[in-house]
Amino acid sequence: MTDDVAAARTAAEEESAFSHPPVDPDVTVAYGDDPDQLIDFYAPRGEGGPAPVVVVLHGGAWRTPYDRRHISPFAAFLAGRGFAVASVEYRRGAGEPGGGDPVAGRWPDTFDDVTAAMDALPGLVRVHVPQADPRRVVLTGHSAGGHLALWAAARHVLPAGSPWRTDGPAPLRGVVALAPIADFEVADKLGVCGGAGRQLLGGDDHFAERRPHADPALLLPTGIATTLVQGRTDVVVPQAVAESYAEAAAKAGEVVGVTLLEDVGHFPLIDPVADACAVVAEEIAQLAW
């Protein structure tokens, strides 16, 4: 596939994924005082007993223009499959002084928010989604959100003294990371999302110093069931990033599942009308039920 063909295909996939109107949640709840510290809850559709909870962390290179609204059709799709869904918002990168393009993420705010949301989630679920079972939680995220999902599941193996470290693993059924920015070194070499990972960690002056606190490929093994879902024709976050994470896990003595989808790029994984999205739901169900 030539570069022009790949670019055209990616643009078409992105247009399809972003063509769906946002879907309003059943309820939105704050987990902190900042306007971005919100969780949208989607109640499970259909009959049955208490539903597993799927926590969704959206992508967008940790940059301000991309918020949870763009992934709301995916969240609603999962609710239609019988899951209770918690779609988390978090602080992202602001514009450069003088009106430049937004940088990727905020240090430490982005990580503070994911930590606070995950810690608050069980109590919020019990109050606001009585149809859900907070004892059965699967964490998923797309692209930059896939990074955050892997990171949130690895807080118990953060370096000693990290403000986000926990004493033990999170009570998760598992993680399904969708085209995640899972290895910062490989992503940086490939220039993924315009060097977003380096920006997230504060730029050249802090990249090496902060990587041990933020890079999922350095936070292994987690002991939590983990699957990566990756399109083989993804040119936004290439397959090499997921493969590098899986290799790092194997070296650490942990088996990470990697589901590679033929003729699939970056965006079909969260596009409710794409076959790839149904595959994602199946991967989540295997862990949740």
Side-chain angles (χ1 to χ4, degrees):
M1 185 183 299
T2 66
D3 290 347
D4 288 345
V5 171
R9 179 173 185 161
T10 298
E13 290 176 339
E14 182 176 9
E15 182 179 6
S16 177
F18 283 71
S19 67
H20 311 291
V23 180
D24 290 333
D26 293 293
V27 62
T28 299
V29 181
Y31 63 87
D33 296 331
D34 190 273
D36 280 330
Q37 292 175 325
L38 300 170
I39 301 176
D40 287 342
F41 287 107
Y42 297 80
R45 304 313 191 233
E47 303 296 329
V53 179
V54 180
V55 182
V56 175
L57 292 160
H58 71 81
W62 310 282
R63 293 184 172 121
T64 297
Y66 303 96
D67 63 15
R68 71 195 187 284
R69 296 294 283 170
H70 84 266
I71 210 168
S72 63
F74 172 72
F77 170 82
L78 293 177
R81 289 293 188 106
F83 300 108
V85 180
S87 183
V88 177
E89 192 56 274
Y90 52 88
R91 282 174 285 183
R92 304 167 311 287
E96 293 277 29
D101 291 336
V103 296
R106 302 188 210 176
W107 181 279
D109 309 51
T110 300
F111 297 91
D112 288 345
D113 287 358
V114 173
T115 295
M118 293 302 298
D119 290 349
L121 190 72
L124 295 177
V125 168
R126 290 187 179 92
V127 172
H128 298 284
V129 194
Q131 310 96 315
D133 182 355
R135 298 167 301 176
R136 290 186 291 162
V137 178
V138 174
L139 190 52
T140 192
H142 179 240
S143 196
H147 157 264
L148 292 174
L150 294 170
W151 178 84
R155 287 170 55 199
H156 59 294
V157 293
L158 283 166
S162 169
W164 307 300
R165 183 182 168 97
T166 56
D167 293 334
L172 298 171
R173 286 291 181 95
V175 180
V176 179
L178 315 178
I181 304 177
D183 184 317
F184 277 13
E185 182 177 24
V186 173
D188 192 57
K189 289 178 180 177
L190 294 174
V192 167
C193 298
R198 185 170 289 267
Q199 290 180 15
L200 174 68
L201 302 193
D204 295 346
D205 291 344
H206 300 288
F207 185 66
E209 160 202 351
R210 291 175 175 173
R211 264 192 71 210
H213 299 267
D215 188 345
L218 300 181
L219 301 173
L220 291 162
T222 67
I224 294 172
T226 300
T227 297
L228 312 184
V229 183
Q230 177 75 41
R232 284 191 180 273
T233 57
D234 190 336
V235 296
V236 179
V237 183
Q239 179 179 330
V241 180
E243 290 178 335
S244 180
Y245 176 85
E247 290 169 5
K251 289 177 182 177
E254 189 160 76
V255 177
V256 167
V258 180
T259 299
L260 297 174
L261 304 181
E262 298 291 341
D263 299 320
V264 170
H266 192 64
F267 297 98
L269 302 177
I270 59 165
D271 186 346
V273 302
D275 291 342
C277 199
V279 173
V280 169
E282 291 167 5
E283 294 285 357
I284 292 171
Q286 288 181 22
L287 294 175
W289 292 100

